[in-house]
Amino acid sequence: MNVPVWVWIATVGGLLLLIAADLMIVDRKPHRVTAGEAARWVIFYVSCAVLFGIGVWVLAGHDPGVEFFTGYITEYSLSIDNLFIFMVIMASFRVPAIHQHRVLLIGILLALVMRAAFIAVGAVLIAKFVWIFFLFGAFLVWTAINMVRSKDEDEEYSENAVTRWVRRFFPVTPDYVGHKMIVKQDGKRYLTPMFVVIVAIGSADLLFAVDSIPAIFGITQDAYLVFTANAFALMGLRQLYFLLGGLVAKLVYLSYGLAIILGFIGAKLVLHALHEYDVTPSWLVINNWMSLGVIAVVLTVTTVASLIKSKRDPNAVSALNLQAEAPAKADREPSHDG
């Protein structure tokens, strides 16, 4: 699509207004987000994404519309798999339940800014170099294989380089100080664990973008659609965190389903590149409707199979639930061991 600058400005402005409204309404008074409240916000954000997609469909045509919905579903699905890591981070930092929404809001906002930079670079590379599709495709297939291989390994959180750098160069208070990120004590400024955990959430999501950005470029090469699909998926992710809770741990086959999706998109990228080099016939190209159908079927099958498995074999999710439920128990403000 040929998107004018004013449309980009209006879109970013609208997204910022949504985030500001979320911050003022939900986080005006720190509190523990209930399942009912989270459900209403999830419905709201999904409705916003659907209305936006319909607008793209009507104004730009059915192909961009299908690309947006396929990209949005893919990004949202990949984000769900990352919710467990967020839960582990929250438990590791012992974030009080009343402040978890603010942590996710600011952390994901930072991640959205960093993803925008990734998308801009990716769009430029794809526009100039066809061989990038081979690179993206091979990376997605490799990621899919590793996702299956590491499925049975224990999920443990260890602070990444960015978080360790913050701790190394800035003093951090041992305790949370409300929702403050910077405090002044004895005439000296300190960061609080609230600041560090926000950095941890934002940098963790940036690592997730390494596979999700190439994946959505396999669905559409339009930077506007890539950005908006990512934005709507990330904005709805926070409330999904509170809504799903321990249910994420019951989706025991989700990683396999996402691995199939990533492998499928990787193959699609390679076929697209081969077609660009006139190596493969025109009929050997995966169209948008086929992509949407495959992704929808795989997610449906893996979700249903996961719930059946978790119901028949509770031991399959007991270890995960133990960690996933930990953040929900943080109703007061204990100190952070780090």
Side-chain angles (χ1 to χ4, degrees):
M1 297 191 303
N2 185 16
V3 181
V5 175
W6 70 267
V7 174
W8 274 97
I9 295 174
T11 301
V12 173
L15 293 172
L16 290 177
L17 284 176
L18 285 176
I19 294 173
D22 193 337
L23 184 61
M24 289 187 293
I25 295 174
V26 180
D27 207 51
R28 177 179 54 187
K29 182 180 180 181
H31 64 284
R32 182 172 180 174
V33 179
T34 64
E37 182 182 5
R40 290 190 293 271
W41 277 99
V42 167
I43 293 172
F44 170 74
Y45 278 119
V46 171
S47 300
C48 287
V50 171
L51 289 174
F52 180 84
I54 292 174
V56 171
W57 195 306
V58 172
L59 298 176
H62 72 277
D63 283 343
V66 173
E67 289 176 359
F68 171 79
F69 282 117
T70 306
Y72 171 69
I73 293 172
T74 301
E75 291 299 302
Y76 214 2
S77 303
L78 290 170
S79 297
I80 291 174
D81 192 48
N82 299 333
L83 284 181
F84 178 74
I85 303 300
F86 288 169
M87 293 176 182
V88 174
I89 292 176
M90 291 288 194
S92 176
F93 282 87
R94 300 178 184 176
V95 181
I98 62 173
H99 297 316
Q100 288 178 12
H101 180 270
R102 179 181 289 263
V103 168
L104 288 172
L105 178 62
I106 300 176
I108 290 178
L109 180 60
L110 291 174
L112 181 58
V113 173
M114 292 184 287
R115 283 197 184 199
F118 269 34
I119 292 168
V121 173
V124 171
L125 291 175
I126 284 176
K128 291 186 176 182
F129 308 106
V130 175
W131 56 264
I132 288 293
F133 287 105
F134 287 118
L135 183 62
F136 280 3
F139 177 76
L140 290 179
V141 172
W142 176 77
T143 302
I145 295 172
N146 282 341
M147 186 176 289
V148 173
R149 285 180 174 176
S150 61
K151 173 60 182 174
D152 296 327
E153 295 179 2
D154 293 333
E155 297 267 11
E156 295 182 358
Y157 172 72
S158 57
E159 294 188 357
N160 57 39
V162 177
T163 310
R164 293 196 301 269
W165 181 86
V166 170
R167 288 190 180 279
R168 179 179 178 183
F169 290 97
F170 299 95
V172 180
T173 62
D175 300 324
Y176 286 90
V177 185
H179 62 259
K180 294 181 179 179
M181 293 184 287
I182 301 177
V183 295
K184 191 173 184 179
Q185 297 179 352
D186 299 327
K188 186 177 180 180
R189 293 191 182 277
Y190 290 83
L191 300 180
T192 70
M194 178 70 70
F195 184 96
V196 182
V197 71
I198 287 174
V199 171
I201 292 288
S203 55
D205 186 85
L206 184 61
L207 294 177
F208 301 151
V210 173
D211 55 37
S212 67
I213 297 301
I216 193 171
F217 269 119
I219 296 168
T220 176
Q221 288 80 60
D222 189 290
Y224 181 76
L225 296 180
V226 172
F227 172 75
T228 51
N230 266 274
F232 280 111
L234 283 176
M235 290 173 67
L237 180 61
R238 301 186 316 283
Q239 307 302 339
L240 201 62
Y241 171 91
F242 298 104
L243 178 62
L244 294 182
L247 179 61
V248 175
K250 296 182 180 180
L251 301 178
V252 293
Y253 294 133
L254 180 61
S255 291
Y256 295 111
L258 294 178
I260 293 173
I261 291 173
L262 290 178
F264 169 76
I265 297 175
K268 179 182 177 181
L269 282 170
V270 172
L271 288 175
H272 176 78
L274 291 173
H275 177 66
E276 290 293 316
Y277 283 114
D278 297 322
V279 176
T280 57
S282 58
W283 59 265
L284 194 59
V285 175
I286 302 173
N287 60 40
N288 296 329
W289 286 105
M290 186 181 299
S291 298
L292 180 58
V294 169
I295 292 170
V297 169
V298 170
L299 289 176
T300 301
V301 171
T302 53
T303 299
V304 173
S306 294
L307 295 178
I308 293 175
K309 172 67 174 179
S310 61
K311 185 176 181 180
R312 292 180 177 177
D313 183 14
N315 293 328
V317 297
S318 59
L320 292 176
N321 276 324
L322 183 62
Q323 297 181 64
E325 291 173 356
K329 297 178 182 178
D331 293 323
R332 57 184 182 277
E333 299 189 359
S335 62
H336 177 53
D337 293 337

